[in-house]
Amino acid sequence: MKIALAQVNVHIGNFAANVAKFKSLIEEAKLQGADLIVFPELGICGYPARDFLEYDSFIQQCQLHIESLATVCNGIACIIGSPSFNTDEQGKNLFNSAFVLEKGTIAKVVHKTLLPTYDIFDEYRYFEPNRHFECVEIAGVKVAITICEDLWNIGTEALYQECPMDKLILDGPDLMVNIAASPFDYAQKKNRLQVLKANVMRYQVPLVYVNHVGAQTELIFDGASLVLDKQGQIIDELDSFKEEMKVVDISSKGNPPLISGREEIEDIYNALILGVRDYFQKSNFKSAVIGLSGGIDSAVVAALATEALGQENVHGVLMPSQYSSDHSITDAKALALNLGIHHELIPIEEIYKSFELQLQSAFAGKGPDLTEENLQARIRGVLLMAVSNKHGHILLNTSNKSEAAVGYGTLYGDMCGGLSVIGDVYKTKVYELAHFINRDRELIPFNTISKAPSAELRHDQKDSDSLPEYGILDQILELYIEHCTSRDELIAKGFEVALIDRITGLVNRNEYKRYQTPPILRISPKAFGMGRRMPIVAKY
Amino acid sequence: MKIALAQVNVHIGNFAANVAKFKSLIEEAKLQGADLIVFPELGICGYPARDFLEYDSFIQQCQLHIESLATVCNGIACIIGSPSFNTDEQGKNLFNSAFVLEKGTIAKVVHKTLLPTYDIFDEYRYFEPNRHFECVEIAGVKVAITICEDLWNIGTEALYQECPMDKLILDGPDLMVNIAASPFDYAQKKNRLQVLKANVMRYQVPLVYVNHVGAQTELIFDGASLVLDKQGQIIDELDSFKEEMKVVDISSKGNPPLISGREEIEDIYNALILGVRDYFQKSNFKSAVIGLSGGIDSAVVAALATEALGQENVHGVLMPSQYSSDHSITDAKALALNLGIHHELIPIEEIYKSFELQLQSAFAGKGPDLTEENLQARIRGVLLMAVSNKHGHILLNTSNKSEAAVGYGTLYGDMCGGLSVIGDVYKTKVYELAHFINRDRELIPFNTISKAPSAELRHDQKDSDSLPEYGILDQILELYIEHCTSRDELIAKGFEVALIDRITGLVNRNEYKRYQTPPILRISPKAFGMGRRMPIVAKY
């Protein structure tokens, strides 16, 4: 049997464009002699469509377009994900379904059983779980169709009472097909391969796995679709971070997975490039504006944006104040030159003085404090948004995860932007990204990498004045945020008690700031945003 | 049997303070001769504790404090909600439980079966459903304990396969006790009474219902705890929007519910007051700053804040520009005078000119457009935040729901603030609130109510230049947002096609703005924020 794996990049809700693409892929798969073409989970509408799923008219659009897709499925079968109405009186209104299209019609509909509802997933918000298990015959092959999470209730930490493949295997399938919407994070690729292999080893049936590719605001889908033979060897594998269709003969003999040699940091780099590119393309914007401080965060974001959008579409703005060191300007200019991007200089000192003057009476009797630092950051935010508005650029935010975690940033100042590019990247990893970006030549000026980080909002300020070294800070943050490590465990790991309390206190207290940040491209198993939901008004 | 209903206002995660309060209520209930005291769902930690529930150390704190509470339960029994670990190998890590404390110890633990996962609820994110049904004997009375949603799977639209009371009734209970975390919205109170009555009528057993009171960031819990006799008559009822404990003899005869005579708008008013007050108290802030434009939105917010925080804690800032009409200033001043609040005048024209000058080269060759309007709004945002930072006031946001829906507002400008007070109130309802506020005397100047709404960001601008009349706009918005009404249905209701497409298009396209707004006090069944989760990059 020859199966086309359609690892597609879907634009959520853009039915006409998506289905036109799918139809041309079906035609191409036919030409290549495929018996079956497989699209990802909820491929018809994109993932996650979130509360659009609560609109009956949205579901009806899905159905109409599934029917339209069925009309071209002659001489080839198709599996594609779509929401479908639950016609029972009880339960949620919808199923998360896989439609089998064959001979110009809908041959079969299979529903998802295990509905992930944790981290960034909200599926039980919308869907009723399946309770009926049956394999589907396609072109003479008995296929056990499952949807993403359905294969994940395996191993010691079973999150669900049910194991769908344990039921389906009783039906004697020749093949497993799993359609998925499994977003990238730096740990996910390895986990995913382990889980898929564990299924093949357990059920002794080959597996076709088709995942989404492309970014949906904060979520970045890496694809990495593949076919495993029943020994768990890889018959074929699709590229990560690229839209692709590939026809695979599933009766071929597999090979052990290649050691890709790709470092984690390269995956993160590719994920962020795709994240930026898709945000712009899917929002129908072309160009970005970025505030360039001469520091490492804005340099890395500018380099990523240049790779994603092209140098002609990236506009840097330098906004020095009286506190800016000479190297801030020279380093930022050198960066712009290295990247070949346009840059502009807008000093903030005069505007700052004008605010000071008007605020004189409101500030009477009060000495300088953080207010003045925030004011500078906010003037820069207003300038960047003005350039963004006037020229139709999207402002890219340059905050990193370490800053976002401890609230080291100014709301409506450096926290402005349409998209946060490195808000899920700890400062220590930002340096790794910088080195990776510089792997062939000096794009990010060496001085930007080697100098001590500073916000430059007052004389001689350094990040290390108010924060511990990033090496220590990032370790505590990762343990507390990604692993929910308790105070006692952190103490046992040898961190200072006062430091632990200070850092975790800062993380908790600054939830109110993170509530208003731009969406953050997600590259870790626990990113700020939809994956981490915290009360704002709380005391813990 | 005498039961104390403890309708408490819990500070999420503030265990020591919460438990100290609970203990003193238990002592008081003993003095009043109660056999049992009932606290709300997840009362030990507050609701919603959200992802704090993913920290094992948080759950351990809950357990420790439940055990501590048990020590004072002598001569009285207690029911209180708390998360508890699921010790089974399969399923989620936690249960949402009701602990029965008696004779100084934990006598029994009952788990929640139906886990609401829709709108603002995320319970299946954390909890495993209960599968074991048994009544509990307390002081010789057989009690069927359920937790909030457990009683809601009744009527024609059953969301769940299971109905817990159908199982528990087989055990022959004398009494139902439901502990709840049911937030206010303008439709909820009526729904809730209907559901509780329907349960009593179905099972013919009296019911004690104890709800949270108090605001948790955006969610406002109204309390309205009550006791129904087995005919569905009300034995006793606690106040809405007030922390209260009341001892009720459940063998008393009930009376038909009083027609409270309270209008919906009064409930909304009280909810918003509580929402503002608790946001400040629980964040440990006292004072607010508000930009006063002379318009109705800021006037209503200032009046609500004055009622919530006291006139000495509300600071108005007037920030006129060259486009401000005379009445903007006179109306805003009149408002401040009527409310007895401090106000300050900070003109923005000079600052605006200073921005214009510095942006000259960046704007070269481009004519004026929306950029200049946004710039004014953002200068005001920066000024308000400067006053907020310098004096330790929280900035209250004054956007209404109609504006938030269509994106009629400037990010980092008038969309700034720690809390959005009327972001869930449509403009037409803002007028109703203004009339309610003026019920006894003119607090909000009549001219503010009667003049045509305008953002005053260019000469002679009126909201009606770019938006339909609010009467029409709000109808379309409510149908589309609260009721998910489709285009075809909207057309059938007689709205113009072009208008429907324009308005719904604006709602969908402005998701990116709403993503970065402050938390919004929720008073409707579908508020922006945690209750409505939409993709940003989508086309529908």
Side-chain angles (χ1 to χ4, degrees), chain B residues 100-232:
Chain B
V100 181
L101 313 178
E102 218 177 3
K103 294 177 191 152
T105 187
I106 296 169
K108 195 91 193 178
V109 187
V110 168
H111 308 311
K112 188 173 186 175
T113 308
L114 308 183
L115 300 168
T117 306
Y118 53 76
D119 191 51
I120 54 113
F121 295 108
D122 279 309
E123 292 195 22
Y124 186 58
R125 182 173 173 87
Y126 311 106
F127 300 116
E128 182 67 11
N130 169 56
R131 287 181 183 80
H132 176 77
F133 301 93
E134 200 187 351
C135 289
V136 180
E137 189 146 321
I138 301 173
V141 175
K142 203 179 245 188
V143 185
I145 301 175
T146 55
I147 305 180
C148 208
E149 192 86 346
D150 284 343
L151 289 189
W152 285 70
N153 203 36
I154 205 163
T156 48
E157 283 185 63
L159 207 52
Y160 310 89
Q161 307 289 332
E162 193 96 68
C163 184
M165 265 313 299
D166 280 359
K167 301 278 174 72
L168 287 166
I169 197 68
L170 306 176
D171 225 7
D174 309 305
L175 174 69
M176 296 189 280
V177 169
N178 185 264
I179 63 173
S182 173
F184 170 78
D185 67 57
Y186 56 68
Q188 178 68 354
K189 207 174 188 174
K190 211 175 126 195
N191 289 346
R192 204 191 279 152
L193 191 58
Q194 271 176 359
V195 167
L196 298 179
K197 273 198 166 185
N199 275 278
V200 168
M201 303 315 277
R202 181 177 172 103
Y203 302 111
Q204 299 282 312
V205 175
L207 168 68
V208 171
Y209 174 81
V210 179
N211 191 16
H212 279 270
V213 74
Q216 306 293 0
T217 317
E218 54 271 81
L219 298 187
I220 303 159
F221 294 88
D222 56 336
S225 306
L226 51 75
V227 182
L228 294 175
D229 69 15
K230 65 176 167 185
Q231 281 80 39

Side-chain angles (χ1 to χ4, degrees), chain B residues 447-467:
Chain B
N447 191 49
T448 289
I449 298 179
S450 60
K451 68 187 174 187
S454 164
E456 297 197 327
L457 293 169
R458 55 173 193 269
H459 276 297
D460 277 337
Q461 188 179 29
K462 296 273 172 292
D463 288 11
S464 54
D465 300 343
S466 45
L467 290 176

Side-chain angles (χ1 to χ4, degrees), chain A residues 268 272 400-402 422-427 429-430 433 523:
Chain A
I268 292 174
L272 296 176
N400 63 59
K401 190 174 190 174
S402 312
I422 55 168
D424 194 31
V425 185
Y426 289 114
K427 187 80 172 187
K429 239 181 186 103
V430 174
L433 269 175
I523 57 110

Side-chain angles (χ1 to χ4, degrees), chain B residues 302-372:
Chain B
L304 291 166
T306 304
E307 181 65 29
L309 307 172
Q311 54 185 193
E312 69 283 10
N313 290 317
V314 180
H315 303 268
V317 183
L318 286 64
M319 295 165 293
S321 75
Q322 62 269 44
Y323 304 119
S324 300
S325 47
D326 292 342
H327 62 72
S328 322
I329 300 166
T330 52
D331 290 345
K333 283 186 176 172
L335 173 77
L337 193 71
N338 294 354
L339 296 175
I341 62 172
H342 168 264
H343 74 274
E344 186 121 26
L345 194 97
I346 311 179
I348 68 164
E349 204 166 340
E350 291 307 312
I351 299 171
Y352 181 80
K353 280 185 193 155
S354 159
F355 270 105
E356 240 181 354
L357 188 68
Q358 301 297 329
L359 282 163
Q360 223 163 22
S361 93
F363 284 8
K366 298 264 183 178
D369 54 20
L370 274 178
T371 308
E372 283 72 16

